[in-house]
């Protein structure tokens, strides 16, 4: 029986265990000192002006859209290849997610498609740095200036990533991160809003806890009091000290984990370089990916098996893979609600029909990396048309 190489495996050391035990023993289990400490350390790691923690990316981005005053009938441009969260948060406002095609080389939102989709109702764009590889932020920034749009970045994959020496988290009006179990910084659940705008940070931090005016979480501590004021009908979206304990431990080693991902990325690139049935996406030198995902496109036109069979065969060889993502316009809700047709998203269709995401997690060893490379290469050889 060969060892199964899972698609994802969290990096756990005694740090996580010790931090969690400390949080549990402290008796402070909801938002408290560890959340504050994590916000501070995250903020200085990113080099952001403000960082506001929330219970998930979805919560964080919902707060960010509320803070830029998104209202019903507004439009927000999102890429077709992303997780449903990116678009569902727009629907929360009875606003319209305008789904556009992606770029064939980067798999990211195509600035030309953004421009074509802009209308009088467009209020914002949500670029998704797919797999952690940064979008064309100069081009998107230029459109935002020209058409007065807000940029809310979906950085669920992008810790840490750089665009022209700027860290992702320091560019858009707000950038939202995810600390979901499978992300590059994993806390089980969690999210963060980074922004340079005081109004956005203030509004998010009030709205994440019931619309209660500032620092109300302190009301049960020695320096607090029983009095608080509700200034808006907010949400229950706060982060908590138990998850923040895991997040603090993970943040300490984020650069090491990133370096490990980069090494796997480079080994994969070398391993697939001479396989003409595998297409790898571009990696421009002006930007650095977090390498959250390692996507490859199979040349299915020159293979005798489908992508889905390819995934099954890899599984039989003990390798877990995935597909990121089923494009938004293929899901019944978006398809029916917004009358979307596959033929209007030719690039996303091309990618979706060919893509496989391979395992890339920090503690993969050389033997496991080598097994993934030789399995993929052996299968393309075996099923070459
Ligand atoms: C995981 C993910 C999200 C949602 O993150 P949560 O923290 O689970 O809410 C949003 N966007 C993308 C691209 C994701 O992969």
């Amino acid at each position: 029986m060969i060892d199964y190489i899972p698609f994802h495996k969290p990096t756990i050391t005694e740090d996580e265990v010790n931090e969690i035990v400390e949080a549990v023993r402290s008796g402070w289990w909801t938002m408290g000192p560890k959340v504050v400490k994590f916000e501070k350390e995250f903020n200085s790691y990113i080099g952001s002006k403000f960082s506001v923690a929330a219970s998930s990316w979805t919560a964080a981005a919902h707060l960010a859209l509320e803070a830029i005053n998104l209202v019903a009938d507004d439009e927000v441009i999102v890429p077709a290849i992303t997780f449903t969260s990116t678009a569902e948060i727009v629907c929360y406002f009875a606003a319209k997610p305008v789904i556009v095609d992606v770029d064939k080389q980067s798999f990211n939102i195509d600035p030309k498609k953004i421009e074509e989709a802009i209308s009088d109702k467009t209020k914002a764009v949500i670029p998704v740095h797919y797999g952690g590889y940064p979008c064309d932020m100069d081009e998107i920034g230029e459109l935002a200036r020209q058409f007065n749009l807000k940029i809310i970045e979906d950085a669920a994959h992008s810790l840490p990533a750089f665009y022209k020496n700027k860290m992702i988290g320091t560019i858009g009006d707000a950038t939202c991160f995810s600390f979901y179990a499978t992300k590059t910084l994993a806390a089980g659940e969690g999210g963060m809003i980074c922004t340079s705008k005081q109004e956005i940070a203030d509004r998010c931090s009030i709205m994440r806890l019931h619309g209660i005016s500032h620092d109300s979480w302190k009301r049960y501590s020695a320096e607090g009091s029983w009095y608080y004021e509700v200034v808006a009908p907010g949400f229950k979206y706060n982060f908590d000290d138990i998850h923040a304990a895991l997040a603090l431990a993970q943040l300490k080693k984020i650069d090491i984990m990133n370096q490990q991902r980069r090494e796997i990325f480079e080994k994969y690139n070398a391993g697939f370089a001479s396989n003409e049935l595998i297409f790898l996406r571009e990696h421009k030198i002006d930007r650095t990916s977090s390498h959250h995902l390692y996507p490859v496109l199979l040349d299915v036109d020159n293979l005798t098996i489908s992508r889905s069979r390819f995934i099954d065969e890899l599984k039989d060889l003990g390798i877990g893979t995935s597909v990121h993502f089923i494009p938004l316009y293929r899901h019944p809700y978006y398809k029916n609600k917004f009358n979307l047709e596959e033929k209007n998203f030719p690039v996303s269709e091309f990618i979706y029909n060919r893509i496989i995401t391979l395992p890339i997690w920090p503690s993969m060893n050389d033997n496991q990396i080598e097994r993934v490379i030789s399995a993929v290469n052996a299968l393309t050889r075996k099923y070459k048309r």
Side-chain angles (χ1 to χ4, degrees):
M1 188 48 199
I2 39 165
D3 281 339
Y4 187 69
I5 304 171
F7 175 68
H8 173 75
K9 197 172 162 189
T11 305
I12 307 168
T13 66
E14 283 307 297
D15 282 350
E16 281 76 7
V17 176
N18 293 336
E19 278 281 355
I20 270 277
V21 167
E22 195 185 288
V24 172
R25 290 222 166 99
S26 79
W28 201 302
W29 292 357
T30 180
M31 184 158 62
K34 284 203 190 284
V35 170
V36 173
K37 185 168 180 227
F38 179 59
E39 283 178 332
K40 240 178 149 164
E41 290 185 9
F42 193 87
N43 197 58
S44 80
Y45 180 75
I46 295 290
S48 175
K49 266 217 173 91
F50 307 99
S51 294
V52 179
S55 50
S56 67
W57 181 95
T58 308
H62 186 190
L63 291 167
L65 290 185
E66 201 276 340
I68 61 161
N69 202 23
L70 192 74
V71 293
D73 289 331
D74 283 346
E75 293 179 357
V76 178
I77 298 172
V78 302
I81 295 192
T82 186
F83 187 57
T84 183
S85 301
T86 316
E88 82 188 29
I89 53 166
V90 177
C91 301
Y92 292 173
F93 295 84
K96 182 182 178 188
V98 176
I99 298 165
V100 304
D101 210 358
V102 298
D103 176 75
K104 203 165 179 170
Q105 305 304 322
S106 69
F107 307 179
N108 280 336
I109 197 164
D110 183 343
K112 288 191 290 292
K113 295 285 160 44
I114 296 177
E115 188 164 8
E116 286 165 25
I118 291 170
S119 80
D120 290 347
K121 293 179 174 179
T122 313
K123 180 157 284 166
V125 53
I126 309 181
V128 177
H129 307 298
Y130 174 86
Y133 180 71
C135 295
D136 294 328
M137 295 312 292
D138 281 352
E139 289 81 352
I140 295 169
E142 188 46 45
L143 289 171
R145 266 185 298 281
Q146 206 177 326
F147 296 96
N148 194 26
L149 313 178
K150 300 282 192 231
I151 299 174
I152 309 297
E153 288 168 65
D154 182 339
H157 299 175
S158 339
L159 187 75
F162 295 85
Y163 176 81
K164 299 190 175 173
N165 297 322
K166 286 191 220 109
M167 193 151 195
I168 296 300
T170 61
I171 302 173
D173 294 281
T175 302
C176 300
F177 293 91
S178 173
F179 311 127
Y180 180 69
T182 58
K183 302 290 158 73
T184 54
L185 187 159
E189 302 284 353
M192 188 75 81
I193 302 133
C194 289
T195 180
S196 58
K197 309 231 156 56
Q198 177 101 53
E199 326 81 80
I200 292 180
D202 284 350
R203 182 70 181 175
C204 289
S205 73
I206 290 169
M207 293 305 278
R208 76 174 157 183
L209 197 63
H210 306 298
I212 293 173
S213 59
H214 255 127
D215 283 346
S216 51
W217 64 269
K218 280 187 188 157
R219 70 188 186 276
Y220 297 120
S221 71
E223 59 200 291
S225 85
W226 55 270
Y227 186 77
Y228 63 91
E229 286 180 347
V230 172
V231 296
F235 306 100
K236 174 62 178 168
Y237 276 171
N238 60 279
F239 201 35
D240 64 271
D241 272 30
I242 308 274
H243 289 95
L246 289 174
L248 279 164
Q250 292 260 300
L251 185 60
K252 271 191 218 137
K253 51 178 175 252
I254 189 74
D255 286 333
I256 297 166
M257 294 193 291
N258 178 246
Q259 180 55 31
Q260 289 167 325
R261 286 175 184 276
R262 179 177 321 287
E263 284 163 18
I264 302 164
F265 163 78
E266 278 160 10
K267 285 172 187 160
Y268 277 167
N269 286 351
F272 300 131
S274 57
N275 185 340
E276 75 275 12
L277 296 171
I278 294 286
F279 176 77
L280 306 176
R281 72 159 162 188
E282 71 170 25
H283 276 271
K284 290 188 176 163
I285 53 162
D286 66 358
R287 62 200 79 178
T288 311
S289 178
S290 67
H291 302 299
H292 170 56
L293 298 175
Y294 191 91
V296 302
L297 301 190
L298 299 174
D299 185 359
V300 289
D301 304 322
N302 290 303
L303 290 171
T304 57
I305 58 169
S306 66
R307 182 267 311 273
S308 155
R309 263 283 301 288
F310 204 97
I311 288 177
D312 295 342
E313 297 255 342
L314 279 173
K315 197 166 181 201
D316 291 343
L317 293 171
I319 294 161
T321 59
S322 192
V323 170
H324 291 82
F325 292 92
I326 302 163
L328 294 178
Y329 56 81
R330 279 182 165 256
H331 290 294
Y333 174 74
Y334 299 108
K335 191 188 193 72
N336 300 332
K337 172 95 179 168
F338 304 111
N339 257 318
L340 303 174
E341 291 183 72
E342 285 152 23
K343 69 170 167 44
N344 293 328
F345 301 90
V347 180
S348 300
E349 279 295 288
F350 180 89
I351 293 170
Y352 174 61
N353 289 315
R354 290 163 179 78
I355 199 161
I356 295 186
T357 38
L358 300 178
I360 181 163
W361 34 271
S363 55
M364 275 180 90
N365 63 36
D366 281 347
N367 180 266
Q368 291 168 316
I369 298 164
E370 194 41 54
R371 266 182 57 205
V372 174
I373 294 170
S374 35
V376 169
N377 289 338
L379 287 177
T380 55
R381 225 176 297 123
K382 181 172 171 194
Y383 294 107
K384 186 173 158 88
R385 197 182 278 284

